[in-house]
Amino acid sequence: MSVFETLRAYDGKLFHAAEHWQRLEWSCEGLGHRSPLKREELNAWVYEALRESGWKDAIVRVSIHWDRADGGTLVAMAREFTTHPAAWYEN
């Protein structure tokens, strides 16, 4: 079983992180689990992943995976955010 949240970073700052962490907690609870980290720890962990990536504008997916009743494995995947070409938005 797994849950995930996808966040957007603008200039190195996570957009509405508190709301994302709340939804992640609700998703965990919905599956009968708890998040392995508290919100503050999640925040620090994701900010460290962002710093390590070197991307200031990024998309970060945080997922938690369980294969048993306790614990949980955290994964953070980041990619640089790039916009579509301006021509795509014309007309």
Side-chain angles (χ1 to χ4, degrees):
M1 279 188 283
S2 302
V3 296
F4 70 91
E5 271 293 315
T6 303
L7 298 90
R8 174 76 162 84
Y10 294 89
D11 196 28
K13 293 185 172 65
L14 295 171
F15 184 73
H16 286 278
E19 289 87 345
H20 284 284
W21 302 145
Q22 178 64 63
R23 282 192 298 273
L24 191 68
E25 287 176 6
W26 288 336
S27 295
C28 292
E29 291 169 6
L31 294 177
H33 292 283
R34 296 182 124 178
S35 173
L37 296 178
K38 295 177 182 173
R39 287 185 196 186
E40 300 81 22
E41 296 169 318
L42 273 170
N43 221 41
W45 183 66
V46 171
Y47 270 109
E48 181 60 27
L50 257 181
R51 277 190 292 279
E52 287 180 13
S53 77
W55 294 315
K56 295 214 178 258
D57 293 317
I59 294 174
V60 182
R61 175 166 287 187
V62 175
S63 57
I64 306 172
H65 310 272
W66 295 275
D67 61 358
R68 59 187 188 285
D70 62 336
T73 302
L74 279 160
V75 176
M77 296 179 285
R79 71 173 175 85
E80 185 175 23
F81 180 81
T82 55
T83 61
H84 298 297
W88 289 18
Y89 298 100
E90 295 173 3
N91 193 1

